[in-house]
Amino acid sequence: MNPVIFCVKNEVSIQDGIFRYLLQFVQPEKRERILRQRIKQNADHMLIGDIVAKVAIKRVFGIEIARQRIGYGEFGKPYLLDHPYVHFNISHSGKYVVCAVCDVPVGIDVQKITAYHPKVAQRICSDEELEIVKGSDDVQSELIRIWTRKEAYLKRKGDGICGMGTLNMSSDSVYSYRFGDCWISLSRV
């Protein structure tokens, strides 16, 4: 099956009562991570991501939310403990939370286009990619496009997101879309 992408736009803080209500549907370990967030928007987006993933899995695979037990790989990639054929991934940036669901390993990343910083570009890009970015008409957008492609690819693999600057990946497994002031990239097997 093709991956199914769910996207939520969140521009306002979740009210405390609604936040507490939604937290009851989150597993204890994830709940603790959400509550440790110092920035309210990050906590909101982590909570929204968890809820969206559960709803997406129910819609795509028909697995009731109460039966979805989520585990985490060594580098934090989520998976369903009792359903090895279900794959999903979550990302958030700016005002967007995205989730991809599929029957094969999948990774998704969304990044808001921000100001260009040469040191960030050097950390993320290979020398060849850095030349592409510098030669672009929109260096900020091109850097974020490359960033999301690499992060989606690494998230699909579940091996962590270190070493982006030296990463050589196959471009045929990553699809990128400009979405307003963001780039969304999806990687699948």
Side-chain angles (χ1 to χ4, degrees):
M1 79 185 257
N2 287 325
V4 180
I5 299 173
F6 293 77
C7 181
V8 173
K9 184 178 184 181
N10 178 45
E11 296 182 286
V12 296
S13 182
I14 299 174
Q15 295 174 0
D16 287 340
I18 294 170
F19 188 88
R20 284 191 306 275
Y21 173 76
L22 292 173
L23 268 178
Q24 71 180 324
F25 300 104
V26 177
Q27 290 177 191
E29 340 46 89
K30 182 72 176 262
R31 187 178 313 131
E32 289 174 20
R33 284 183 50 219
I34 291 170
L35 292 173
R36 281 196 308 263
Q37 296 301 307
R38 292 187 175 133
I39 299 170
K40 176 72 163 93
Q41 183 183 35
N42 290 346
D44 286 354
H45 284 177
M46 287 176 70
L47 177 59
I48 291 168
D50 192 85
I51 300 298
V52 168
K54 289 176 177 164
V55 170
I57 291 166
K58 177 160 183 352
R59 281 201 174 166
V60 174
F61 292 100
I63 301 167
E64 293 297 327
I65 291 172
R67 292 184 42 233
Q68 296 178 24
R69 293 184 323 115
I70 298 173
Y72 297 92
E74 180 182 355
F75 296 101
K77 184 174 183 183
Y79 64 94
L80 283 188
L81 291 170
D82 303 322
H83 304 278
Y85 60 90
V86 174
H87 300 272
F88 68 100
N89 201 239
I90 304 163
S91 182
H92 53 83
S93 180
K95 56 191 165 195
Y96 295 104
V97 178
V98 294
C99 175
V101 179
C102 196
D103 60 352
V104 296
V106 65
I108 193 163
D109 190 47
V110 61
Q111 293 290 331
K112 182 179 178 183
I113 299 168
T114 57
Y116 178 78
H117 296 285
K119 288 185 180 186
V120 172
Q122 288 175 343
R123 193 179 76 232
I124 291 176
C125 296
S126 66
D127 291 341
E128 182 180 313
E129 291 165 335
L130 203 49
E131 290 305 313
I132 292 169
V133 169
K134 289 177 181 177
S136 171
D137 292 338
D138 187 347
V139 292
Q140 297 95 330
S141 179
E142 186 61 21
L143 174 62
I144 299 302
R145 184 187 71 83
I146 290 170
W147 180 338
T148 62
R149 292 176 63 79
K150 288 185 171 196
E151 192 159 326
Y153 176 81
L154 290 167
K155 288 173 74 176
R156 175 182 60 84
K157 291 182 64 171
D159 296 336
I161 57 171
C162 296
M164 286 178 131
T166 59
L167 175 66
N168 290 318
M169 54 185 230
S170 75
S171 60
D172 60 351
S173 68
V174 182
Y175 307 90
S176 299
Y177 311 92
R178 174 83 185 254
F179 189 73
D181 63 347
C182 295
W183 275 98
I184 297 176
S185 289
L186 174 80
S187 177
R188 65 163 290 180
V189 174

